[in-house]
Amino acid sequence: MATDGSLRPGHDALGFDHVDDEAYTALAADLREAVDGEVRFDEYAQVLYATDGSIYQARPAGVVVPETTADVAAAVSVAADHEVPIMPRGAGTSLAGQGIGPGCVVLDCSVELDDVLSVDPEAQVARIQPGVVQDDLDERLEPHGLQFAPDPASSARATVGGGIGNNSTGAHSVRYGITDAYVREVEVVLPDGTRAEFGDVVLDSPEWDDLVSRDDRVAELHRTVRDIVAENEAEIESRYPELKRSVSGYNLNKVVREEDGEQVMNLAKLVVGAEGTLGVVVEAELDLVTRPDERALAVYAYDDLVTALAAVPDALSHEVSAVELVDDQVVAMARESQAYAEYAEPIPEDAAALLMVEFDSELHDDFAAAMADVTTTLQTEGDAFDRIEAYDADAQARLWKLRKAAIPLLMSMEGDPKPYPFIEDASVPPDQLAEYVQEFQAVLEKHGTSAAYFAHAGVGTLHIRPILNLKDGADVETMHAIADDVTDLVLEYHGSFSGEHGDGMARTEFTPKMYGDALWDAFKRVKTAFDPQWLCHPGNVVYRDSPDDHGPATKRGVGADMREHLRYGPAYQTVEPQTALDFDDDGGFAHLVELCNGCGTCRQEGSGTMCPTYRASQEELQTTRGRANMLRAAISGELDEDELYSERFQAEVLDLCVGCKGCASDCPTGVDLAKLKSEVKHQYHEREGATLRERLFRDIDRWAALGSKLAPVSNWAAKLPGSRAVAETVAGIAPERELPSFQRESFTDWFDARGSSVSASGADHRVVLVPDTYTNYTDPAVGKAAVRVLEAAGVHVAVPADLGPSGRPAYSLGFLDHARDRAETFVETVAPRVDDGWQVVFVEPSEAVMVQDEYADLLPASPDRDAVMAATSGLCRFLDEHRLAEAIDFAAPDERLVYHGHCNEKAIGQDHHAVGVLRRAGYRVDPLDSGCCGMAGSFGYETEHYDLSQAIGRILFEQVDDADGTPVAPGASCRTQLGDRPGAERPPHPVEKLAEALPGEE
């Protein structure tokens, strides 16, 4: 590692006292002795927790994963004894740097402290641990008709504890406000390890007198905070903006409130928004709201951004539950994104800005009438030129996905200039938005840049992201100058520099300007009262102007400069490796890695494909974000030069990626880890060689052909006593796995003897049906069913016996030279038929996607390659797109099917075709919102991966078991995984169900 201190934990350059390696070793040892949870002080843990969803990066000292509140208290106490700062962390999705703690002991509360402890539906109260994900909490509350009101766009992965730390909110703050309104009580571990509970207490009551008469930390804090509030009453009244959203500084304006003629103090309101600087929240009691039964959404299109913002007060004159803005840049990027293009389809092409106006059934009995009133105001009498109305929940969800994708979509912009978050949630009164944004645009023009806009317009929060290249020192200074100018502008409008995402590393520097000297000093007094040693996430929300200012004479929490600790600063450099795959369309290998902005979409568990290994393991390293962070550290010199090719890096970072390609579609910025993994594995094989098992699975087509020729002897041999132990010892194959049974008559043998029953000359379509390894030698029934269905649709079928493998196994395992050789042979073999008008069809999705997608990176561009790629499809897509299912007089039985799509097909947006074809055949089909099955080719057969494979599989098993119907799956791996369950049968391929529904079939 470099010795300049730029990344090393505890070094003076980070603004903390130097702590040498020996001291860190002692700290880690004491933590391991004191807590039951995991303690990780290795370099990998430091890299993984050095970033969040912001523009910042700084290594912590180490990470503790507490299992209990007692663990939190013990860890805090040990760190205090060692005078090392601590920082609580949730999902690490913060946009201002609150998830980063230079030199801190990070307490990852998202892994174990994630329970909903109790729900009282009548009182509308829930008690939770900080690590519970917001969507999981709302799912638990849904049967009671309740919800937690704040709804950040990251609710599918963000923790409620993180939301408490940042005082988060979301699109419905027009209706509900922000988190501090819903936190009734908190249990907090104070920086010295003391556990305290904060809730309502009536001032000057017997309860108050009893509380403050005690000689303990809780009493002292109540006395001190009351004095601070009383002494600064006038400043609090004049300096805090009157907005629904203002989350900068400490909530001194909300600690004491009037209620029923009495003054009530609640220190929980102070802890909310404190970003972990006053203590660690270990439990919280939350007020809940009723969940509207129904909602409706209208999207109004404008030809000008300012005109749209000027219409916000008109929209707010009606009873609405949300008013959101999206500009044309966000929509344009969505149109170009594989993951979000479908959500942008309804949007008018010439819309420069959109206002999304939502209605709910608690405010309106007649959505059509309510929407008509708003339409009269905004369109008939206003400047909107078009609108989209959505009454159906699915249609609304699709439009909201477009809005929620704005942040990660913008960060996928090509090249080093990006729309970075640093002043992007400043808030002003909604009726001044139009004037404010025009002045804001003038600031941007002054500094020679532009920005993307989206907003919680109904509460005056504009997400404006100036486009800068932070790898350029001049642009770093421009960022600072813009932030300085914008704070001045926000103050002119009596707004808040942060209306949603808090202070963190990005905005703490400017807090004194916003609040003035008196309140700035009050904030420091609050911090010192709670945290005398300034050990709790120092430097955030408030900082010390000098080492002896409000605390001990150390460097902790002294000064704040938004230009420090940048992830991509002027000193950042990478080595662009020579690659076997083509990364030109990705901007290069390094750029594809750097597309990860830390938003944490790969941590969400409730829907989508990514990231299956995280869902099973709950390990940050097993997210796409974690792997991208490790790759970036390896190519930028943050890790030792050869670490990328170490056994540990291969085993822990790359080998546990199942190559599902879910990240290529589900990651909003398109970080394709499967592609990156194949490239790095290839380089590793070039340097270090490959194992017997890897070579065996690379050449699986050859061994399967031999197994078929030797059947049934080969099948008997696999069942002999001791054979599984030998397979594990020699090839590392898990003994728990049933090995495939080979068929003596392969699919190609069967077809050679049979031929096609449809004449080539009379057919409208001629198809090369590719005999993939599994179909050919293990499960020919699928191929036979495909032939029958295609011929029933009048298709002439050819199954060339000499057609070699596509190269999929070799590609997935990182043998790119072998994969290229096989891909070239495949193209050369089928290209003449494609030139003659034939189509290439696979029954195995992963093989089809290999040709459709990976060939573009594996093979140089050529007319033959491009023609073969274009002519290739999966079987159900071929039937669907050519409307061939309609040509068959299907007679499906009255049967419900549960469809599990293949993750590779999902990654390129083609998994829906099977559902459509099966429904046209007459089946009732319920598609699962499922991810990878966990088998992933050879992955599930490998001894060291078997447990993880099964853990991933169990997520799918539960979905299948909870569904009503016969499971069907097109992937051979998926059918194997589902069929290996105790008492389960191998699910059929969709084409087998289609064949069953053919006229005359039994």
Side-chain angles (χ1 to χ4, degrees), residues 866-941:
D866 295 345
V868 170
M869 289 177 63
T872 296
S873 66
L875 174 65
C876 290
R877 179 192 172 199
F878 176 76
L879 294 171
D880 193 24
E881 291 190 342
H882 293 284
R883 308 184 72 85
L884 295 176
E886 298 174 11
I888 303 173
D889 186 18
F890 283 110
D894 182 20
E895 184 177 4
R896 183 181 294 277
L897 304 179
V898 176
Y899 175 72
H900 166 63
H902 195 283
C903 46
N904 285 180
E905 281 193 324
K906 290 181 180 181
I908 61 172
Q910 294 183 9
D911 64 302
H912 61 284
H913 294 291
V915 174
V917 172
L918 287 166
R919 285 174 175 167
R920 278 193 287 277
Y923 291 104
R924 290 170 293 151
V925 186
D926 293 327
L928 293 176
D929 186 6
S930 53
C932 180
C933 69
M935 193 68 185
S938 64
F939 183 87
Y941 283 106

Side-chain angles (χ1 to χ4, degrees), residues 265-399:
M265 172 178 272
N266 190 335
L267 292 189
K269 306 298 183 181
L270 195 61
V271 171
V272 178
E275 301 181 8
T277 62
L278 303 181
V280 181
V281 174
V282 290
E283 288 186 19
E285 191 167 276
L286 309 175
D287 286 317
L288 310 173
V289 298
T290 53
R291 181 191 300 264
D293 294 330
E294 294 180 294
R295 301 180 191 270
L297 180 66
V299 180
Y300 295 91
Y302 292 82
D303 57 14
D304 178 76
L305 173 68
V306 174
T307 303
L309 291 172
V312 170
D314 294 330
L316 292 173
S317 68
H318 299 267
E319 285 194 305
V320 295
S321 53
V323 180
E324 297 286 295
L325 177 131
V326 178
D327 82 345
D328 55 351
Q329 186 161 356
V330 172
V331 176
M333 297 193 75
R335 293 190 200 281
E336 297 171 3
S337 164
Q338 186 168 289
Y340 292 97
E342 62 181 294
Y343 307 121
E345 287 177 3
I347 307 303
E349 291 284 346
D350 51 351
L354 306 170
L355 279 186
M356 304 175 68
V357 182
E358 190 191 71
F359 312 81
D360 72 50
S361 57
E362 293 188 341
L363 298 175
H364 298 282
D365 295 326
D366 187 339
F367 284 148
M371 201 174 292
D373 288 344
V374 174
T375 297
T376 298
T377 301
L378 298 187
Q379 188 172 357
T380 308
E381 299 173 357
D383 295 312
F385 69 84
D386 200 354
R387 74 181 184 279
I388 302 165
E389 297 183 355
Y391 298 95
D392 174 77
D394 289 340
Q396 293 174 56
R398 293 168 69 83
L399 291 167

Side-chain angles (χ1 to χ4, degrees), residues 401-516:
K401 280 190 177 181
L402 178 66
R403 165 62 184 86
K404 288 191 173 188
I407 291 174
L409 268 174
L410 288 168
M411 293 307 293
S412 69
M413 185 178 290
E414 292 184 4
D416 288 333
K418 301 272 192 241
Y420 282 115
F422 57 95
I423 44 88
E424 50 89 48
D425 62 332
S427 298
V428 299
D431 60 356
Q432 298 181 47
L433 272 174
E435 294 84 357
Y436 167 74
V437 81
Q438 290 178 83
E439 293 197 52
F440 198 111
Q441 288 173 330
V443 170
L444 297 179
E445 290 171 8
K446 167 187 170 183
H447 293 287
T449 188
S450 60
Y453 297 78
F454 56 103
H456 300 297
V459 287
T461 300
L462 271 186
H463 293 306
I464 306 176
R465 294 189 164 210
I467 299 172
L468 298 168
N469 175 13
L470 296 186
K471 295 178 183 178
D472 184 322
D475 271 15
V476 172
E477 295 306 314
T478 297
M479 174 183 71
H480 189 264
I482 290 172
D484 201 17
D485 287 348
V486 169
T487 51
D488 290 338
L489 180 61
V490 167
L491 283 174
E492 287 179 24
Y493 282 87
H494 201 55
S496 171
F497 193 35
S498 178
E500 181 172 11
H501 297 144
D503 294 322
M505 292 181 164
R507 286 181 279 273
T508 295
E509 174 184 355
F510 300 97
T511 307
K513 182 196 290 189
M514 179 171 170
Y515 287 103

Side-chain angles (χ1 to χ4, degrees), residues 943-961:
T943 298
E944 65 267 35
H945 298 153
Y946 175 78
D947 289 341
L948 180 58
S949 171
Q950 287 295 99
I952 297 171
R954 280 192 288 273
I955 299 171
L956 173 60
F957 302 162
E958 290 178 7
Q959 290 179 287
V960 170
D961 291 341

Side-chain angles (χ1 to χ4, degrees), residues 154-219:
S154 57
S155 62
R157 66 262 190 198
T159 64
V160 177
I164 291 172
N166 294 348
N167 204 0
S168 297
T169 185
H172 294 92
S173 53
V174 166
R175 175 103 150 83
Y176 298 114
I178 61 179
T179 294
D180 59 42
Y182 300 95
V183 177
R184 175 180 290 200
E185 296 178 4
V186 292
E187 182 180 346
V188 179
V189 174
L190 297 174
D192 61 356
T194 301
R195 292 165 66 168
E197 292 192 13
F198 299 137
D200 281 352
V201 56
V202 177
L203 296 181
D204 300 324
S205 66
E207 181 187 7
W208 170 262
D209 294 339
D210 181 61
L211 170 62
V212 297
S213 66
R214 296 179 345 218
D215 183 21
D216 60 24
R217 294 273 287 122
V218 174

